[in-house]
Amino acid sequence: MTDTPDQSAAPSAAERKARAEAAMRAAEAAAGALDGRDSPAPAPALAPPPPPAAGPEEDLRALGGLFAETGVPAALASRAAARLGPGAAGRLREDPWRLLSVPGVRPGQADHFARALLGEDARPDDPRRGGALVLHLLTEAARQGHTVTPAADVLTALERLRFPDPRRAVDAALDEAEVLALTEEPEFDEEAFEEGAEPPEPEETLGPARWALAEEAAAEGFQRLTLTAAPLLDDAALKGLRDGLPEDRSLALTAALRTGVSILSGAADGLARTIAGIASAAVSQGLRTAVAAPTDRAAADLAAAFPAGAAEGVAVTSLHRLLEPREDPSAAPGAVVYGRGEQRPFDLDLLVVADGAALDVELCAVLAEACPDGAHLVLCREPGAPPPAGPGRPLDDLEASETVPVVALDAEPPSGPLGVLTEAVRGGELTAVDAPGREVVIVPAEDAGEAVHRAVQLVTDSIPRALGIPVEDVQVVAPAAGGDAGAGALNAALKARLNPGPGAFGGLDPGDRVVVAAPLPQAPLGETGVVTGGGPHGLEVDFPGGAAVVAPAEASRLRHGWAVPVALARGTRRPGVVAVLGADGLSRPLVATAFGLARRHLSVVQAAGPALARAVREEDAPARRTRLARLVAQ
């Protein structure tokens, strides 16, 4: 199956794709988009920002005046400024439906804003409205992990939104070069060649240019690394390193040193030991080697797991820091600019990524382009790991492409009650475990309110008092941010108990724990820190990688972090974990990941009833529509 531009539209999809690529190249020149320097925030802006004509305070005042004039809640101003960038008020006056690109804004609200601003000129069939609706629908699909959506689904959704001419809306979005039309050629089977059989028709799909081009860049990067790779060591040196190793670790070492891209799968502890073995063996032979973890906190834990002296000469850090993030005033809103990329690749022979399953397609493209020709890349994963927080499923797609070796470490007997429970869940069974040291505690809750109450009690009293694990070493996790027992509700209750305050700095106070919900120049996605102060200059936060000042325009990327969604917590283990599980949003990978985050103690606040066991038994992660597997295999 291949993906080619749709040739039926006018102007042609090839022309539109060329325009999209030109727009992306222009963005790269200003913000280093897909050349390995830019990892934008989860939702795309509608257009590259114009040069700033005013400072952030002036922009906020202009937005406040515009929103007061049109009846939009003033609280939306900071989000609109963060999404639309400098000159946001002027851009909204030119095209009020741009408001739909701001997270949380619904089509009806954008229509209300447009009518308040344009009056009778706010027509239902306005091409600006059509293009914004299409991009909104595709962005919502991207929030569910999809990089492409069938065009027929988009047209149906536009009919439900009562756009008079859905095809015209799609054409308007394509003309803006922020959406691409792609034709997916079907795979032929034997029945397709039988006499009289009608060949299946190609399916037209639509995707934001941002994700479509990221998938193409990632595919090209993987192909390049595979084609330019040569063995990093000769046979004699490799044989010496393999002597005495178990077969699975020997295969993993061989794949890492002989092939350009490989996948390594295994349980957390076994992966950590194997990563340490591969990295230390490579360094012993003079190879430039790095190990990249999801966060700085996780990197510190991984480095500590190396045997004494084994980490010497190995760069063990977060992938974010390895890519060398930097501040750039010209960057697109929500973008992180990286110093490493196609023009300035890593100075490495071997890179091992500890949680490759957490990479969304955009960060995967950044990573692949930052690897120089001839470098070897090892992507690690735990079995049954959930897909990344952002769009795509690169590691699953790469494995499905059957173009790279996949090495699975031999299963080891689980270690202790926590290991037994986590392995059982991975196998589809929710089982009771013997935990004489209170390594696992199940706390039933009748409803969401009781679940929140129990979680606060565990964090602030029971776990520190009974187990000696301090509050700062306990992480609460939930399936999602929203809901009556989601991370947001849990954080509100935990703040009231642990650090009450007025929210002096955009809802945050000194002493608040925060989590990075979208990458910052100073910290990666999922990193937690503690607010130490703030003012007009920004928010002062102590992260594991050091103290940082988060500019006011970027502070919206932080959330309270006593409780976090599992997708943000993954990859960074804690001594104590409180998993608050309601009936919604559960799946086997999510539950296994939540349980696997605990090093010493896990409290499960069980508010899901029988739905928890059913989800573990029956529910895999929701499927995602992507193209990367086909693109890599081409």
Side-chain angles (χ1 to χ4, degrees):
M1 188 181 293
T2 58
D3 296 296
T4 56
D6 180 5
Q7 301 296 321
S8 63
S12 73
E15 293 170 334
R16 287 167 172 151
K17 182 175 179 180
R19 269 200 304 233
E21 290 173 337
M24 291 299 289
R25 285 194 296 270
E28 289 172 19
L34 290 178
D35 63 354
R37 295 175 289 146
D38 179 0
S39 177
L46 283 174
E57 293 184 7
E58 290 81 355
D59 282 328
L60 281 174
R61 279 197 293 270
L63 279 170
L66 175 62
F67 288 171
E69 172 188 337
T70 53
V72 175
L76 196 62
S78 59
R79 272 189 284 159
R83 175 60 61 216
L84 298 173
R91 298 173 66 189
L92 286 172
R93 288 187 183 278
E94 293 175 1
D95 181 356
W97 285 284
R98 290 184 186 274
L99 188 68
L100 198 52
S101 71
V102 178
V105 175
R106 298 187 299 275
Q109 294 169 322
D111 287 339
H112 175 83
F113 174 66
R115 288 192 297 269
L117 196 61
L118 301 180
E120 295 181 357
D121 291 334
R123 302 187 316 276
D125 62 347
D126 192 308
R128 295 173 296 180
R129 178 175 184 259
L133 286 173
V134 171
L135 189 57
H136 170 75
L137 291 168
L138 296 176
T139 299
E140 290 301 301
R143 295 186 199 281
Q144 302 302 315
H146 307 300
T147 59
V148 291
T149 300
D153 291 357
V154 176
L155 294 172
T156 299
L158 288 167
E159 289 175 355
R160 288 198 299 267
L161 291 171
R162 299 183 180 181
F163 192 84
D165 187 345
R167 176 53 68 175
R168 184 184 176 197
V170 170
D171 288 342
L174 296 174
D175 287 342
E176 290 296 316
E178 289 176 319
V179 171
L180 291 182
L182 301 152
T183 301
E184 297 187 6
E185 297 293 341
E187 294 180 352
F188 287 93
D189 54 24
E190 292 182 3
E191 294 181 359
F193 290 93
E194 294 179 359
E195 185 175 354
E198 289 290 334
E201 292 292 328
E203 182 183 35
E204 182 189 6
T205 61
L206 300 171
R210 170 182 182 174
W211 309 121
L213 297 178
E215 283 192 302
E216 292 176 7
E220 290 169 3
F222 288 138
Q223 291 171 334
R224 174 179 57 82
L225 291 174
T226 298
L227 292 172
T228 60
L232 294 176
L233 298 177
D234 59 32
D235 291 344
L238 179 58
K239 183 178 183 302
L241 294 173
R242 292 175 53 177
D243 284 347
L245 290 178
E247 183 178 4
D248 57 340
R249 292 177 62 183
S250 175
L251 290 172
L253 180 63
T254 301
L257 297 180
R258 283 194 172 277
T259 58
V261 182
S262 60
I263 295 174
L264 178 60
S265 175
D269 292 339
L271 272 179
R273 289 193 297 271
T274 305
I275 289 170
I278 291 172
S280 57
V283 167
S284 74
Q285 300 298 307
L287 299 176
R288 300 168 298 173
T289 305
V291 175
T295 62
D296 291 328
R297 187 184 299 274
D301 290 342
L302 188 57
F306 274 59
E312 186 174 348
V314 181
V316 184
T317 184
S318 66
L319 177 59
H320 186 75
R321 201 163 298 282
L322 191 68
L323 288 165
E324 299 181 7
R326 57 186 175 84
E327 307 253 3
D328 189 338
S330 67
V336 173
V337 178
Y338 291 112
R340 293 290 183 175
E342 186 177 13
Q343 304 303 318
R344 186 171 170 259
F346 297 133
D347 298 316
L348 292 173
D349 301 306
L350 174 64
L351 172 59
V352 183
V353 179
D355 187 9
L359 301 176
D360 67 20
V361 70
E362 204 160 44
L363 187 55
C364 201
V366 171
L367 169 64
E369 292 195 336
C371 291
D373 290 354
H376 288 212
L377 175 64
V378 182
L379 298 168
C380 304
R381 70 180 308 165
E382 294 184 39
R393 48 170 195 173
L395 210 55
D396 288 335
D397 283 345
L398 188 59
E399 183 172 350
S401 74
E402 299 183 347
T403 61
V404 302
V406 180
V407 178
L409 298 177
D410 293 340
E412 299 178 359
S415 175
L418 282 167
V420 171
L421 177 61
T422 303
E423 284 304 306
V425 170
R426 285 202 180 99
E429 182 180 359
L430 186 66
T431 184
V433 295
D434 184 23
R438 289 182 288 187
E439 294 89 348
V440 178
V441 174
I442 309 299
V443 182
E446 290 294 327
D447 53 31
E450 185 180 357
V452 172
H453 173 75
R454 295 297 184 197
V456 173
Q457 186 179 46
L458 287 163
V459 172
T460 61
D461 178 42
S462 302
I463 294 175
R465 174 174 48 80
L467 301 175
I469 301 175
V471 172
E472 56 268 24
D473 286 337
V474 180
Q475 181 65 66
V476 181
V477 296
D484 293 339
L490 288 161
N491 275 314
L494 286 163
K495 176 174 173 57
R497 181 72 175 271
L498 291 171
N499 195 47
F505 305 111
L508 300 172
D509 295 298
D512 280 355
R513 186 192 294 184
V514 292
V515 64
V516 179
L520 288 165
Q522 302 91 338
L525 184 75
E527 192 76 83
T528 56
V530 177
V531 176
T532 57
H537 61 291
L539 194 67
E540 299 166 9
V541 183
D542 188 12
F543 289 115
V549 177
V550 180
E554 297 172 339
S556 61
R557 304 187 210 178
L558 295 172
R559 303 286 186 274
H560 282 112
W562 290 287
V564 300
V566 173
L568 290 182
R570 64 181 297 169
T572 305
R573 301 177 74 187
R574 294 283 192 144
V577 168
V578 177
V580 182
L581 303 178
D584 296 330
L586 296 177
S587 69
R588 185 189 311 123
L590 183 142
V591 176
T593 298
F595 290 0
L597 292 172
R599 290 189 180 276
R600 288 178 50 195
H601 171 79
L602 170 69
S603 284
V604 180
V605 180
Q606 219 293 45
L612 177 57
R614 185 167 56 250
V616 167
R617 186 175 61 251
E618 301 173 1
E619 297 295 331
D620 202 350
R624 296 186 172 195
R625 296 183 298 268
T626 62
R627 300 185 302 141
L628 185 60
R630 296 186 293 273
L631 293 171
V632 173
Q634 286 179 359

